[in-house]
Amino acid sequence: MADIEAQLRARGLDLTQEPAQDSAPAAASPLSAIGRALSAAVPAGGDLSRLPPLPAALVETDGGDPVLLRGTVALLGGAGGVGKSWLALDLAIAVALGKQASWPRKSGQMVRGWRVAEAPGKVLYLGAEDSAAALHARCERLCEARGDDVARDLGDRLLIASIADGGGGGGALVTRSKTDKGMIETLAGDDLRKHVATGGYSLVIVDPGSRFLGAEAELDPGAATAAIDALLNLATGADGPLVLACMHSTKAARREGTADAASVRGSSALTDGVRAVLEITANGGAGLLTHSKSNSTIQAQPLPLIREAADGAPIAGWAAATHADRAKLSARADRRAKFEALADHVSQVAGMAGGVEKDKWADLADALKVPDMPTRKTLALVGAPFPERLAEVLHVWDSCPDFARPKDDATNANATNANATNTGRGKAGKGTGSAAEGLPT
């Protein structure tokens, strides 16, 4: 006991003395996170200039409102194959190009969207699914879409690396300790943190985030919190980089087409621990980028996107568009989906029919699968050689609940039902032309 008291006295503490009533609070230990925070604390009426500066905007709206901030962590969610990687790499290019570079890039002069808010900055894009060569090829396509000299303007500011070249494993930043079962930093996490700390980056992208956050982060809140902390360690300080992790969406979100913070797959601790969440949803060549969570900025309006030109030609990645352009492509996708559903149904009918009827239904099914542009004119054209078959298809279409009619087709529903009735529910050759007119345009 005497040894312990001697050690305490050596540190300025004496258990035999009563503390003075007006004594100052004990100094906080600079070794813990709470200790450091208390040591740097400033009273509300004190000298606020002692505080570190607020994080600067890295991405802002065309009107100058901040969207994504440096020194923070954000998530970009969406279904597999929706184009998250293209969109993230396009952001990397925009930040490397610097102030006023649009993101996503714009499909026309009159399109409003978001832009980079500061001078050209260094960017690290760390992938895990595609090889570095594949990512560089994708980068070249995106640069070409922006202009002839964009690749040259990037200089050495965009660094692209991928752990896929080594097999794709071993990228988790944290893992569970074998001794006390807590979450600890891995060698990979240590390497990345040290690299980013000395790299002077404005933006760090990890894609997909699940490969770097670890499998447990999708199920365990504690593991998810530790994984987000690892990303926060990369974004340390107001002048630290924005860290963006690309994440898959849940099955429910993909099925229902929802775009909110809860759409990101994994523990809710993932979305709770970040400052911003972006979600991308798509319907064919039409997409929507939603700012679904924002703790530090205003919530920006959703951005309409397209990845298909008016003539159907593919666009490299996603481009910001007008709501009208997006609506046209979305309607086309709806029509194509209905047309494909109809063709599949006719194929099933052909499989159950017999004799001559089987051949007739099969011929119509083959004709329905040919067109690239599913419109009412196309359906009338391919169905013309099979008048009685087409009338029966229209009746099935209108009565079968599996063929959900899009909202914008409501005005055509009554006309189609009336025309189907006039055909005598499939009697040969009656009213076929008018029935085809009832299909959506």
Side-chain angles (χ1 to χ4, degrees), residues 77-103:
V82 76
K84 296 184 298 295
S85 298
W86 285 90
L87 198 58
L89 189 52
D90 194 40
L91 174 60
I93 293 170
V95 171
L97 290 174
K99 195 171 180 63
Q100 304 302 313
S102 62
W103 180 72

Side-chain angles (χ1 to χ4, degrees), residues 46-71:
D47 181 11
L48 300 185
S49 64
R50 291 169 48 196
L51 294 174
L54 291 171
L58 182 65
V59 176
E60 63 185 10
T61 66
D62 279 347
D65 296 318
V67 178
L68 298 174
L69 305 180
R70 289 189 58 159

